[in-house]
Structure formats: structure tokens, C-alpha cells
């Protein structure tokens, strides 16, 4: 609540009573939790119906416009993480904010799905503890501070969520499928799209190592999401590291999109991602061999960061894990078995 010194709580579901108190008290802001539990007694429709939601929403809109009061209407969400109720409810408000995050983790993301008076690229990162939500000034450093002590199957990637850059740890576990198993190998993903993981595993199978009878589990630590193709190479490195049981240098990060031909493609805002890695103290970065690499190599923002450009996925994997990758060497020989 920040600098709020006075808070009034009204236990009421009738919208008429809420409006009467709001007009009489003229507060700075009104928070309605939730809009699905409010109803107008002048309507015969039940609480939570489409008509009630629309009319209650319009009543709150008139309150905001007529009295100059900021109104926060909290809404339920569906299993698909969409706002429950008619779309008209979203159309009448100025801003739609969504709070995301794993309930078992401390990190929370506040995303803007609609902003009538600005862009929707800003993302707020918060930490949940016993004292409530607190803004995280340096979320990348906090996410990497809890990085796994084992360097096998763990790698750092940089994702861009809106305009926010986040360095995250990607972990993978690759195990042989039981010889007598009749079901397909496991492809389990947490924090990355399962469909994208399947594509990356297929590319690895064709160009790097046999994956037909391997179970693959990938997770992004911290309960966050890597939604963009720039995380492809990080996923591939984590999977390959686990397959060969080979350590990934802890001062290294990888960035790049993988195409179906086994090549590495450039990603947007590569210079900003590299600057974020340099700020975090990492020493080496595996990146796609983009046309403006000479310009990147002279950028003073990440002069202390060694840049390793790679044309293909296999080249990038060998730059991280060694030349035995993809050569047909026995799984688990490197890195202490």
C-alpha cells in the first residue's frame, strides 16, 4: 500500500452500497475484490452473470469518470489465464494488468495486457515474502544467485520479456528410456513451451546426438517463463550437457535461435542482452554469427565479455562443451561420467 495511511474496508456485495460509500467518502482509490461477486439489485440476473458483470463494470466506470476516483476491479481468471467474463469488461477499462508466477516460488511478474494511454511492453518483477510484494531492482542477479552448485546440465540464457531483460538459469535432465518401455520418451517442460522443446530435441537428434530413446526434462528455475526463440540455444546446451554429463563453465552464457537446418539465427536486441550479461559479471558469451558482429565486438558496454560467434548449433555446442560433442563418443565419458 506504500504511503497509504488510511484504509477503509467494506464487506458488501451490493453495488449500490459500494457506490454510495464511495461517493460519500471520495477516496483516492477504490479496490473491488472481485467484480464477479458484485451485483445490482435492480437486475434479476444472478451474481456473476454476463449482464451483472457488464452493468457493474459500467457503474464503476461512471464512478471513476464522475468523481475522479481511481478504481481497481479485481477479476477471476479462467484455466487459460484469461479474464473470466465478457470481453466488454476489458474494453471499458483503461488498463488490464495480470499477475503471473508459480505459487511455490517467490518471483511474481506483473504484465500489462492493455494500456489505453501507453505501451504494454513494461513488466514489473516482484518478490513475495511474509511482508507482501516487494519490487526487485535487480531480478537477474537474484535469479542467478540461487543457481545450482552443479555445472552439469545448467546454463545461463537471457530472455526479453516486454522491455525487461532477465538472465535465467535453464536446467535439463536426460535419461535413457527403459528398453522394454512401450510409450514414447518423456518430453517434459517447465518454463518453456513443450512444443518448442520437441523441435529442439528433434534438431539435436538430426545434427548432434541420438535422442530417440532418451527422456528429456527441461526447467527454468525461479518459476519464470522463457517464451522467445532466443532461449533455444540455452535449452539445447542444457540438454546436451546432461546427455554427455559435461560441465558448462559457470561464467558463460548462451544466446541464439535454432533453425530447423541446425543453424543459429540472430535475435533482437542482442547488444542489450550482452550488456546485461556483462553487468552481471559473466565473462564469455556464445552468440550467433550476425552480420554486425564486428560492431558488437567493439562495443564498450561489454568490452570485458568474450564473444564467441557461431554459425551452427553443433559449432555452438562444441564451443561450450568441447569437440567430442556430436562425434559419436560414448555418453557420460566426459566430465567424470
Amino acid at each position: 500500500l506504500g504511503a497509504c495511511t488510511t484504509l477503509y474496508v467494506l464487506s458488501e456485495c451490493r453495488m449500490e452500497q459500494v457506490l454510495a460509500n464511495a461517493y460519500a467518502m471520495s477516496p483516492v482509490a477504490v479496490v473491488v475484490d472481485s467484480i464477479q461477486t458484485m451485483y445490482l439489485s435492480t437486475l434479476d440476473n444472478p451474481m456473476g452473470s454476463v449482464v451483472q458483470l457488464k452493468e457493474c463494470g459500467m457503474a464503476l466506470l461512471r464512478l471513476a469518470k464522475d468523481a475522479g476516483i481511481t478504481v481497481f476491479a479485481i477479476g477471476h481468471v479462467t484455466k487459460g489465464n484469461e479474464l473470466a467474463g465478457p470481453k466488454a469488461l476489458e474494453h471499458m477499462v483503461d488498463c488490464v494488468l495480470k499477475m503471473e508466477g508459480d505459487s511455490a516460488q517467490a518471483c511474481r511478474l506483473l504484465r500489462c495486457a492493455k494500456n489505453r494511454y501507453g505501451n504494454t511492453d513494461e513488466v514489473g518483477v516482484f518478490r513475495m515474502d511474509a511482508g507482501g510484494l516487494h519490487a526487485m531492482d535487480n531480478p537477474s542477479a537474484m535469479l542467478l544467485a540461487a543457481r545450482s552448485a552443479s555445472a552439469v546440465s545448467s546454463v545461463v540464457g537471457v530472455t526479453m520479456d516486454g522491455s525487461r531483460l532477465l538472465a535465467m538459469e535453464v536446467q535439463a535432465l536426460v535419461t535413457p528410456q527403459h528398453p522394454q518401455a512401450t510409450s514414447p520418451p518423456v518430453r517434459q517442460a517447465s518454463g518453456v513451451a513443450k512444443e518448442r522443446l520437441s523441435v529442439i530435441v528433434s534438431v539435436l537428434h538430426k545434427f548432434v546426438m541420438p535422442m530417440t530413446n532418451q527422456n528429456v526434462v527441461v526447467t527454468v528455475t525461479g518459476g519464470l517463463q522463457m517464451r522467445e526463440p532466443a532461449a533455444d540455444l540455452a535449452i539445447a546446451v542444457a540438454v546436451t550437457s546432461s546427455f554427455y554429463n559435461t560441465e558448462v563453465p559457470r561464467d558463460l552464457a548462451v544466446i541464439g535461435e535454432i533453425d530447423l537446418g541446425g543453424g543459429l539465427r540472430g535475435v533482437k536486441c542482442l547488444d542489450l542482452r550482452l550488456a546485461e550479461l556483462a553487468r552481471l559479471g559473466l565473462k564469455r558469451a556464445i552468440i550467433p554469427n550476425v552480420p554486425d558482429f564486428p560492431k558488437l565486438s567493439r562495443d564498450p558496454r561489454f568490452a570485458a565479455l568474450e564473444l564467441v560467434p557461431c554459425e551452427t548449433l553443433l559449432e555452438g555446442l562444441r564451443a561450450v562443451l568441447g569437440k567430442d560433442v556430436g562425434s559419436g563418443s560414448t555418453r557420460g565419458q566426459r566430465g567424470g561420467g
Side-chain angles (χ1 to χ4, degrees), residues 79-301:
K79 292 182 178 180
N81 202 30
E82 297 293 332
L83 186 63
K87 277 292 181 181
L89 196 59
E90 294 186 43
H91 295 326
M92 67 177 66
V93 300
D94 295 326
C95 186
V96 178
L97 300 173
K98 294 183 178 181
M99 183 72 75
E100 298 179 2
D102 190 338
S103 59
Q105 303 291 338
C107 287
R108 299 289 187 274
L109 294 182
L110 185 64
R111 300 182 187 276
C112 184
K114 172 189 176 182
N115 187 354
R116 185 165 288 163
Y117 302 109
N119 65 64
T120 58
D121 290 336
E122 297 296 329
V123 178
V125 184
F126 298 86
R127 183 184 74 257
M128 173 69 80
D129 57 25
L133 280 175
H134 305 277
M136 295 171 59
D137 297 328
N138 192 355
S140 293
M142 197 203 86
L143 291 170
L144 296 184
R147 191 178 176 190
S148 171
S150 173
V152 176
S153 72
S154 169
V155 67
V156 174
V158 183
T159 187
M160 185 168 243
D161 202 326
S163 61
R164 169 87 70 165
L165 287 166
L166 293 173
M168 302 182 190
E169 178 190 7
V170 182
Q171 295 182 345
L173 177 64
V174 179
T175 59
Q177 190 182 31
H178 193 279
Q180 297 181 354
T182 58
S183 60
V186 173
R187 299 287 185 262
Q188 184 172 331
S190 175
V192 299
K194 186 176 180 180
E195 295 79 9
R196 193 64 188 172
L197 173 60
S198 297
V199 171
I200 294 171
V201 170
S202 297
V203 175
L204 285 172
H205 175 74
K206 181 173 179 62
F207 296 101
V208 183
M209 56 201 181
M211 300 294 294
T212 305
N213 61 341
Q214 302 293 325
N215 298 316
V216 180
V217 180
V218 173
T219 183
V220 178
T221 61
L224 300 180
Q225 301 278 332
M226 278 189 158
R227 304 184 177 204
E228 57 172 357
D232 287 357
L233 185 56
I235 297 170
V237 169
V239 171
T240 308
S241 172
S242 181
F243 183 90
Y244 285 98
N245 198 29
T246 304
E247 293 187 353
V248 177
R250 294 187 64 81
D251 60 353
L252 175 142
V254 298
I255 304 170
E257 178 184 355
I258 300 172
D259 63 30
L260 297 182
L264 292 182
R265 293 177 176 268
V267 299
K268 67 175 183 178
C269 302
L270 181 57
D271 58 331
L272 297 180
R273 299 173 197 262
L274 294 174
E276 176 72 4
L277 294 175
R279 186 182 66 82
L280 294 170
L282 278 81
K283 303 299 183 184
R284 192 163 165 241
I286 310 299
I287 63 173
N289 190 10
V290 292
D292 59 345
F293 175 75
K295 180 181 178 181
L296 288 173
S297 62
R298 297 189 300 268
D299 197 314
R301 290 175 295 174

Side-chain angles (χ1 to χ4, degrees), residues 296-337:
L296 288 173
S297 62
R298 297 189 300 268
D299 197 314
R301 290 175 295 174
F302 36 87
L305 189 66
E306 179 189 354
L307 304 181
V308 182
C310 298
E311 293 278 356
T312 66
L313 169 61
L314 183 57
E315 183 183 352
L317 293 174
R318 288 177 173 175
V320 178
L321 302 171
K323 294 183 179 180
D324 287 345
V325 171
S327 62
S329 59
T330 303
R331 179 178 186 269
Q333 281 186 341
R334 294 174 52 84

Side-chain angles (χ1 to χ4, degrees), residues 52-71:
Q52 286 284 5
L53 285 172
K54 291 174 64 176
E55 293 302 320
C56 288
M58 285 301 301
L60 292 174
L61 177 63
R62 287 191 293 269
L63 170 66
K65 301 299 183 183
D66 296 344
I69 298 173
T70 301
V71 178

